[in-house]
Amino acid sequence: AIPFGLEIARRSGASLELVRVYRSVVQPSVIPIPSITDAEGREQAANYLDSVATRSNDGIPISTAVLEGSVAEAIAARGMESG
């Protein structure tokens, strides 16, 4: 999807926002212990987006955002915020 988004942005002179939705996952066990903390998960998501933005940037303004919650709801809410 990123190559298509970049091409649309390039042709229209628009900017591009890359988002990743982080969802906390708790492993089922007697004592719930997540494999990584929420902070680590958000940081990994942000690092991934930053690396993709750096590799993909050829003059197109690219911003990134780590969202939380249900994927569809988080993306829809972000779209409403952005207009």
Side-chain angles (χ1 to χ4, degrees), residues 14-54:
S15 61
L16 186 66
E17 182 173 41
L18 303 176
V19 300
R20 186 159 199 175
V21 179
Y22 173 76
R23 208 166 173 177
S24 179
V25 177
V26 177
Q27 302 295 326
S29 67
V30 175
I31 302 172
I33 303 172
S35 57
I36 60 172
T37 66
D38 286 344
E40 290 170 328
R42 286 189 292 276
E43 182 179 355
Q44 287 177 6
N47 290 341
Y48 169 76
L49 288 173
D50 289 343
S51 71
V52 170
T54 300

